[in-house]
Amino acid sequence: MTRVLLMTGCVWVMACGKADEAPAWLTTPVTRGDVVARVTASGTLSALVTVEVGTQVSGRIMELHADFNSPVTKGQVLARLDPQLIKANLAQTAANERAAVANVNKAKATQAQAQRELDRTRSLTSRDFVAQAELDAAQAAYDVAKAGTEQAEAALAQARAARQQSQVNLEFTTITSPIDGTVISRAVDEGQTVQASMQAPVLFTIAQDLAHMQVNTSVAEADVGKLKEGVEASFTVDAFPNRRFVGRVRQIRYAATVVSNVVTYDAVIDVDNPELLLRPGMTANVTFVTAEAREVLRIPNAALRFRLETVGRMDGVAPPPPGSRMVTVLRAGKPERVAITTGITDGSTTEVLTGLSVDEVVITDKSGGASGAQRQGGGGPPPGMGRMF
């Protein structure tokens, strides 16, 4: 029994001695360097101007003169539709126009004859050679002839408009490029029939000047206040993961996009693409540089998160002044709470404005040693050991 008690006492003494060991601090020196604050977002690459080229008339695709990736210039012929039906319609409307012209000439001749009859009757009536009724009849005939002329002229205008529309439709059978650019999509094949009854079907999609592109990003509402026009942005794409492309924010749009109660805003970034490596539709992982400080004092953010209370209670530590933060500095081998003011942060390190000097050591964590509960618990054997001794 005595041997058992002695062994138990030795174990308790060893435990007490281990509890009294000082904790091992994990520290980092205060260094001088750069701190760059960033905001991240995702976006999609697109051309500065993208035009969908369609057709305003229906017909069969007779010729194709452009394909995917074809460079095109403004006015260049991209495709031709079969013009036979439209030519037939043009001939018909032209004939209708000629007939309308003849009707106008006939109506004008009738009106002129009615005018002469009216003048003659008016002269005879003034000399009492004919009755007033004949003058009224002559006036009515003239009015009818004049109305006929106006009606014939209106019909001519309609026929002329129909002929002009047919002429325009014939011109529409030749599809030309509205801009200089590159064909990035072709939606039809030669021999295919397209219908333009309800809306203009898209035949080609042309991107203007792929050497200059833009990235449309979705920035969270919590970060949009940190951005402004002209801010530098860099991004990567999956096609070139080891290469970083650089651009600048051209516009931050006011319209919000809400998806699943998440509010984002569109920030447009201009980027040069001289090597044509970037392509429309690529996903960009964007980083915005919102603030930067060069050659400043900095500490790791872990030092700001560390609390001295985790290793024991320190009495007499004054609360931090308004606008400042507390860190634990190791001075003469002992931890000491110090109030500091901070600047920008990049997520891992934070700029120190006041309160620390270079090469001071801040505590970021502890390794080993007794816990606060053990250090505060006082001495004495474990419960029940007093009676055993």
Side-chain angles (χ1 to χ4, degrees):
M1 182 64 180
T2 302
R3 183 178 299 176
V4 173
L5 291 175
L6 290 174
M7 294 178 63
T8 306
C10 291
V11 171
W12 176 75
V13 170
M14 293 175 63
C16 291
K18 185 175 182 180
D20 290 337
E21 291 179 1
W25 306 110
L26 298 180
T27 62
T28 300
V30 180
T31 60
R32 187 174 295 276
D34 300 336
V35 180
V36 182
R38 296 179 173 89
V39 170
T40 59
S42 61
T44 304
L45 278 155
S46 64
L48 295 178
V49 177
T50 302
V51 178
E52 293 181 340
V53 181
T55 174
Q56 296 183 346
V57 296
S58 302
R60 180 177 61 86
I61 301 295
M62 186 172 63
E63 301 174 4
L64 283 177
H65 298 279
D67 202 350
F68 291 92
N69 298 344
S70 296
V72 295
T73 58
K74 184 176 181 179
Q76 178 179 334
V77 176
L78 304 178
R80 296 185 189 277
L81 276 65
D82 189 348
Q84 294 184 17
L85 292 177
I86 297 180
K87 283 183 176 180
N89 182 262
L90 176 60
Q92 180 180 357
T93 55
N96 292 340
E97 181 182 9
R98 291 193 297 272
V101 170
N103 289 335
V104 168
N105 294 334
K106 179 180 178 181
K108 287 182 177 180
T110 302
Q111 180 182 353
Q113 179 62 28
Q115 180 69 54
R116 289 190 292 270
E117 291 291 338
L118 176 61
D119 293 341
R120 186 181 306 110
T121 304
R122 184 178 291 117
S123 176
L124 294 175
T125 303
S126 64
R127 290 180 289 173
D128 294 331
F129 288 158
V130 297
Q132 182 65 34
E134 292 187 19
L135 177 60
D136 294 340
Q139 182 66 50
Y142 171 77
D143 292 340
V144 170
K146 182 179 179 181
T149 301
E150 294 175 351
Q151 182 178 8
E153 289 177 342
L156 174 60
Q158 291 179 339
R160 183 173 288 117
R163 192 266 306 163
Q164 291 175 347
Q165 181 178 356
S166 297
Q167 182 66 44
V168 171
N169 288 341
L170 180 61
E171 295 174 359
F172 281 159
T173 59
T174 300
I175 312 299
T176 60
S177 175
I179 60 173
D180 297 337
T182 303
V183 176
I184 60 175
S185 175
R186 174 176 60 81
V188 293
D189 294 311
E190 191 171 311
Q192 181 177 342
T193 300
V194 292
Q195 296 290 335
S197 56
M198 299 298 294
Q199 60 182 5
V202 177
L203 307 183
F204 301 91
T205 302
I206 300 176
Q208 183 184 48
D209 191 10
L210 292 180
H212 302 281
M213 301 186 69
Q214 67 183 20
V215 182
N216 292 83
T217 64
S218 298
V219 180
E221 60 176 327
D223 296 328
V224 72
K226 304 173 185 177
L227 301 182
K228 60 182 180 180
E229 295 180 0
V231 167
E232 181 179 293
S234 61
F235 64 93
T236 60
V237 294
D238 293 340
F240 306 98
N242 298 323
R243 180 163 180 174
R244 185 163 290 276
F245 301 89
V246 179
R248 289 196 176 273
V249 176
R250 169 165 49 92
Q251 184 183 57
I252 302 173
R253 295 176 178 170
Y254 290 103
T257 302
V258 182
V259 178
S260 300
N261 294 327
V262 177
V263 180
T264 59
Y265 293 87
D266 191 5
V268 183
I269 303 168
D270 287 332
V271 57
D272 291 331
N273 186 31
E275 302 176 65
L276 301 182
L277 298 178
L278 301 174
R279 304 188 179 193
M282 284 185 170
T283 300
N285 301 309
V286 185
T287 301
F288 300 93
V289 178
T290 59
E292 54 184 338
R294 300 296 181 184
E295 290 299 313
V296 296
L297 295 182
R298 59 185 184 178
I299 60 174
N301 287 357
L304 297 171
R305 293 190 297 266
F306 178 74
R307 296 292 181 268
L308 190 60
E309 289 74 14
T310 60
V311 297
R313 186 171 61 189
M314 300 292 292
D315 297 328
V317 177
S324 63
R325 305 181 68 178
M326 300 297 293
V327 296
T328 306
V329 181
L330 192 62
R331 292 174 176 171
K334 295 182 179 181
E336 180 180 338
R337 295 290 279 174
V338 176
I340 64 172
T341 55
T342 59
I344 65 174
T345 179
D346 60 7
S348 60
T349 60
T350 297
E351 176 190 8
V352 178
L353 300 177
T354 61
L356 294 175
S357 59
V358 69
D359 293 333
E360 282 196 286
V361 177
V362 293
I363 299 176
T364 58
D365 205 349
K366 71 180 184 69
S367 174
S371 66
Q374 290 174 325
R375 294 179 62 86
Q376 297 172 27
M385 290 298 294
R387 290 191 298 272
M388 293 180 64
F389 277 105

